[in-house]
Amino acid sequence: MPPRIAITTSLLVNDPARPDRAVLNAPYIRAIERAGGIPILVPPFLAEPATNALLDLVDGILVTGGGDVDPARYGEAPDPSVSGISDLRDTSEIFVSKSAIARQLPILLICRGMQVFNVALGGTLLQDIPISGPRHRQDQPRHETSHDVRLAPGSRLARILGDPSSIATNSMHHQALKSLAPGIIPTAWAEDGIIEAIEFPAYDPFLVGVQWHPEELAPHDPHATALFSAFITACT
Ligand code: MN
């Protein structure tokens, strides 16, 4: 049986003429499928008992990208740049993050996923990255790389990627991690010091968070492909 992977989804509430919609960029689904997993989507408006029942069915969790986490979740007033806040999605993904830890499931966190996970465990976010150093909102297409990240030698991420000192990534974020939740460590940085990857060393199952979007780089980028393969292997 291929591993079943819960994938969190975005919530669209922008059109008053239509009902709320759960949406997910197709590259997440394709990346999990190509790596050998079966994607199972988690709607953000599912109540906790049903979310729990869904998590009973899966072998790993992917928390995906999207709008900003409400700064109130980490005790700050919102910067004017903050956008795309969804209370339902914040609530759902904080619940999913904590439930995944309690269940000892392998966890892959991408972009907002790494941010909301850090907030769920007590960390904070940099609400708007100052414009200096590498530009974190690239003009290039999403499947192209735009800045390098330096990897912590010996980290799980570096080992998965074959121990390079740095790799090229894409970058589509205006927020980043500020204070790290207890137990979380940084394992990659952009040249301006922005944290680009995290791990949770005390947590034995697979846990890797990346600030870039490997799902948009796979399958043409071997590093992105290696990351999804390692995640699915851990879920098997
Ligand atoms: Mn970046």
Side-chain angles (χ1 to χ4, degrees):
M1 180 76 178
R4 292 154 294 194
I5 310 301
I7 308 178
T8 66
T9 55
S10 293
L11 186 63
L12 286 188
V13 291
N14 300 329
D15 185 348
R18 293 182 181 276
D20 294 352
R21 284 173 287 172
V23 297
L24 181 68
N25 291 349
Y28 291 109
I29 298 174
R30 295 194 181 113
I32 292 296
E33 183 185 8
R34 276 196 205 100
I38 301 175
I40 298 180
L41 276 52
V42 184
F45 30 69
L46 206 55
E48 286 187 3
T51 303
N52 252 327
L54 189 154
L55 296 180
D56 284 342
L57 305 174
V58 303
D59 305 298
I61 299 206
L62 168 57
V63 187
T64 55
D68 294 336
V69 177
D70 187 345
R73 300 279 180 174
Y74 47 92
E76 291 188 14
D79 179 270
S81 67
V82 167
S83 69
I85 286 177
S86 164
D87 194 50
L88 275 172
R89 188 176 186 193
D90 288 350
T91 298
S92 171
E93 289 186 337
I94 287 170
F95 178 75
V96 166
S97 295
K98 291 178 174 173
S99 297
I101 294 289
R103 291 161 186 273
Q104 296 276 295
L105 286 169
I107 303 171
L108 179 61
L109 307 161
I110 294 180
C111 196
R112 170 198 156 89
M114 162 170 132
Q115 297 171 0
V116 76
F117 182 84
N118 185 51
V119 170
L121 271 61
T124 67
L125 303 181
L126 185 59
Q127 291 193 40
D128 196 33
I129 297 169
I131 300 171
S132 63
R135 188 173 143 77
H136 291 279
R137 273 176 286 186
Q138 69 186 41
D139 294 321
Q140 295 94 322
R142 296 169 68 87
H143 65 276
E144 293 182 7
T145 59
S146 66
H147 73 62
D148 288 350
V149 304
R150 177 173 55 86
L151 300 170
S155 60
R156 187 192 290 263
L157 178 62
R159 282 182 278 122
I160 288 168
L161 302 182
D163 278 320
S165 57
S166 73
I167 63 165
T169 68
N170 54 6
S171 195
M172 282 91 78
H173 60 113
H174 84 107
Q175 298 200 321
L177 303 200
K178 190 163 65 178
S179 70
L180 295 179
I184 292 179
I185 61 162
T187 56
W189 304 264
E191 84 180 40
D192 57 358
I194 291 294
I195 294 171
E196 292 276 351
I198 56 167
E199 293 174 25
F200 196 13
Y203 187 71
D204 190 47
F206 180 105
L207 189 148
V208 172
V210 294
Q211 187 58 71
W212 64 93
H213 284 272
E215 81 284 2
E216 302 273 3
L217 298 174
H220 60 279
D221 178 305
H223 295 130
T225 304
L227 180 55
F228 280 104
S229 292
F231 173 55
I232 295 301
T233 298
C235 297
T236 303

